[in-house]
Amino acid sequence: MMGHAAKALPFVSDEERAHWHDQALWFVRLKRDRQAESIPEWEALRESASAIKAHTLSRLADYLEEFERNARANGIQVHWARDGTEHNTIVHRILAGRGITRLVKSKSMLTEECHLNPYLEAQGIEVTDTDLGERIVQLRREPPSHIVLPAIHLKKQDIGELFHKELGTAQGASDPSYLTEAARGHLRQKFMAAQAGLTGVNFAIAETGGFVVCTNEGNADMGTSLPPLHIASMGVEKVIPRTKDLAIFLRLLARSATGQPVTTYTTHFHGPLRGGELHVVIVDNGRSAILHNETFRRSLACIRCGACMNTCPVFRRSGGYSYGYTVPGPIGSLLAPLRNPSHFGSLPFASSLCGSCSDVCPVKIDLHHELYAFRQELVRQKIVPLYKRLAMAGLSWVLMTTWAYCLASRLMRWFVPRLPRALVYGPWNPWGRQRELPQMPRESFRDLIKKEPT
Ligand code: SF4
């Protein structure tokens, strides 16, 4: 089974692209900082959001039942799915029961998690992702590489090539306005032909039985206003108690995600269209198990803003595909091994533990401490390979034993200068080349050490 480092190798080997990816995400991170700094009560908002999430998670079943009661009273049909398979079956049953073969879908990481697209396509239903980034990766038959910016790993030239092949745009064209216009025309036809629309749910309000979907492109609105059937897929953790709580989350979400003051379209759904149907599928898919895990239950507070990815030095330099899970980055490095520790056991180690993720998280999930705790858990469960456990135990003993520490320091001082340069900076270490290391000195390490003042 390939770990994070091995999966990251193709990405980090393309130095130019990895550097560009790093800078693109850092730009988003800086935009987020400017927005956060422009609001004096930013930290108070984060505190409130964190407290609301902690409270909601402590009474999750009650709030979900309240949401269901009120949603039904609004004419919304509510379904419960234990896992991804049940979710897909329910969605298919609704569509097949009405003879629907064309579905448009706005961004929903939950449907990615459940692998809904391939499931429906295998049943003869055409699914079109309508978020521009999602449509791009769908045309490339790839999953999203980031939860908010699904095609952030691609340059405009890559998209120009793809659109030339798939949408017939001019060869070599890479002007973003031209490409966006072409995508708009293509998607417009899909919207007009759709028989049903599927959206995710950003926030479901227990008090009213309504829910909110945030997009920047208005694609959720188009996809749910034209066809008479709307299906919304919602993870159990999306519920919040009251409408007034929403204001706090909406102020935090767009600023943390893309550095915008507010998402362009924030749409409230409180019932079906006249003569139409609205279904909400509430999905557990392993979330209840996380809720019962006292150490890591806070990971369910995540509002999927992506800020922890944009700031993470490992994510920025290794790309979303190196995580091998629907949700990458620091939060994915918790969620994935919580679902399958032996398969995703390398992810908690894909972190510098610098704490930047915890600093930006709008709901104050203590990501880096949780990642550290997860490492210890993996060692306890013996999922970390034996050689690594032995190395860590040995190192821990050396650090705690004065004479061993002194001896090891002497040995390292002798050994490191004799390491071949290629091991440190050369082609054998593409990961090391991506880091902001000082320029390789012309002198050997041995000469440099000799020069050091005593
Ligand atoms: S863990 Fe926090 S920063 Fe990361 S995506 Fe979730 S809410 Fe955003």
Side-chain angles (χ1 to χ4, degrees):
M1 175 200 334
M2 271 166 80
H4 174 267
K7 287 200 196 115
L9 205 54
F11 188 87
V12 298
S13 299
D14 185 345
E15 279 184 52
E16 201 237 312
R17 186 177 291 264
H19 179 68
W20 168 83
H21 185 263
D22 173 32
Q23 295 300 303
L25 288 170
W26 188 246
F27 173 74
V28 183
R29 154 76 209 254
L30 292 179
K31 274 176 73 191
R32 172 256 168 223
D33 288 353
R34 279 195 289 276
Q35 284 295 333
E37 282 156 18
S38 72
I39 297 189
E41 66 274 27
W42 182 255
E43 287 307 315
L45 284 173
R46 288 179 75 213
E47 281 294 344
S48 304
S50 173
I52 293 166
K53 279 288 181 182
H55 166 75
T56 314
L57 290 174
S58 73
R59 296 185 46 199
L60 190 60
D62 295 339
Y63 283 121
L64 283 168
E65 283 177 9
E66 187 183 342
F67 171 76
E68 181 187 23
R69 243 187 344 266
N70 290 327
R72 285 192 194 280
N74 292 338
I76 300 173
Q77 299 182 47
V78 180
H79 311 258
W80 296 85
R82 255 180 302 239
D83 54 26
T85 310
E86 268 194 23
H87 165 264
N88 295 350
T89 314
I90 291 168
V91 173
H92 178 241
R93 201 175 54 224
I94 299 168
L95 298 174
R98 288 148 189 83
I100 286 168
T101 54
R102 291 185 304 276
L103 174 75
V104 283
K105 188 159 87 59
S106 75
K107 185 135 63 62
S108 153
M109 293 319 290
L110 178 60
T111 58
E112 294 290 337
E113 179 186 319
C114 298
H115 307 292
L116 179 68
N117 286 19
Y119 177 85
L120 290 181
E121 280 157 9
Q123 317 289 328
I125 294 173
E126 181 197 83
V127 185
T128 306
D129 280 309
T130 56
D131 172 90
L132 179 55
E134 288 253 316
R135 184 62 181 150
I136 290 167
V137 290
Q138 188 184 31
L139 288 172
R140 286 172 61 97
R141 287 157 195 85
E142 285 175 353
S145 72
H146 185 292
I147 59 172
V148 175
L149 312 159
I152 188 67
H153 58 295
L154 299 172
K155 293 185 173 185
K156 58 185 182 181
Q157 290 80 3
D158 303 322
I159 296 162
E161 236 172 76
L162 175 76
F163 280 13
H164 170 63
K165 203 168 107 216
E166 300 284 345
L167 310 184
T169 53
Q171 189 159 24
S174 62
D175 173 53
S177 308
Y178 169 73
L179 295 177
T180 309
E181 201 50 46
R184 213 169 161 217
H186 160 72
L187 285 172
R188 184 60 57 116
Q189 289 168 13
K190 297 289 181 188
F191 281 124
M192 299 305 284
Q195 298 160 302
L198 190 145
T199 66
V201 169
N202 286 95
F203 304 101
I205 306 148
E207 181 183 51
T208 64
F211 62 92
V212 171
V213 180
C214 305
T215 69
N216 272 327
E217 298 165 22
N219 53 315
D221 306 73
M222 282 283 281
T224 54
S225 327
L226 296 174
L229 173 64
H230 174 188
I231 304 171
S233 298
M234 157 187 161
V236 290
E237 80 285 12
K238 295 291 181 183
V239 73
I240 55 171
R242 297 153 304 182
T243 310
K244 71 175 184 185
D245 302 327
L246 190 61
I248 294 166
F249 290 104
L250 291 180
R251 292 186 78 194
L252 289 166
L253 178 64
R255 288 183 170 91
S256 302
T258 50
Q260 292 166 255
V262 72
T263 322
T264 315
Y265 298 88
T266 299
T267 309
H268 296 243
F269 294 94
H270 281 98
L273 292 176
R274 198 169 301 135
E277 285 178 62
L278 174 50
H279 296 253
V280 174
V281 188
I282 305 176
V283 187
D284 186 298
N285 206 27
R287 287 157 175 79
S288 296
I290 299 179
L291 189 65
H292 287 111
N293 185 326
E294 271 190 33
T295 316
F296 302 112
R297 69 179 348 197
R298 287 286 295 146
S299 58
L300 287 178
C302 174
I303 57 170
R304 302 288 191 272
C305 71
C308 57
M309 288 151 222
N310 303 340
T311 199
C312 175
V314 177
F315 180 91
R316 284 189 279 117
R317 290 166 175 84
S318 62
Y321 294 147
S322 59
Y323 293 79
Y325 186 64
T326 318
V327 180
I331 183 65
S333 298
L334 286 172
L335 294 174
L338 277 168
R339 290 184 65 97
N340 186 343
S342 38
H343 190 76
F344 295 108
S346 70
L347 293 188
F349 295 88
S351 167
S352 62
L353 298 184
C354 62
S356 186
C357 47
S358 309
D359 281 349
V360 298
C361 178
V363 285
K364 299 194 86 165
I365 302 174
D366 199 2
L367 288 156
H368 70 296
H369 280 121
E370 293 205 1
L371 286 168
Y372 178 56
F374 217 124
R375 292 180 184 185
Q376 294 166 323
E377 184 58 35
L378 290 167
V379 171
R380 261 195 297 277
Q381 289 183 24
K382 299 194 168 44
I383 288 171
V384 173
L386 182 64
Y387 76 88
K388 232 181 190 176
R389 278 183 278 139
L390 287 176
M392 284 194 271
L395 185 62
S396 154
W397 178 78
V398 169
L399 291 172
M400 286 189 301
T401 314
T402 311
W403 69 264
Y405 179 79
C406 292
L407 180 65
S409 312
R410 283 173 159 243
L411 285 174
M412 290 307 283
R413 224 172 145 73
W414 179 87
F415 179 70
V416 170
R418 285 163 179 80
L419 272 180
R421 285 169 177 228
L423 268 184
V424 185
Y425 288 98
W428 314 112
N429 186 8
W431 177 254
R433 277 183 297 155
Q434 294 301 315
R435 294 184 179 170
E436 286 131 1
L437 291 170
Q439 279 297 310
M440 175 68 179
R442 292 209 163 271
E443 304 98 314
S444 70
F445 284 113
R446 200 181 320 195
D447 293 339
L448 272 179
I449 286 170
K450 270 190 212 146
K451 266 203 231 160
E452 269 180 10
T454 49

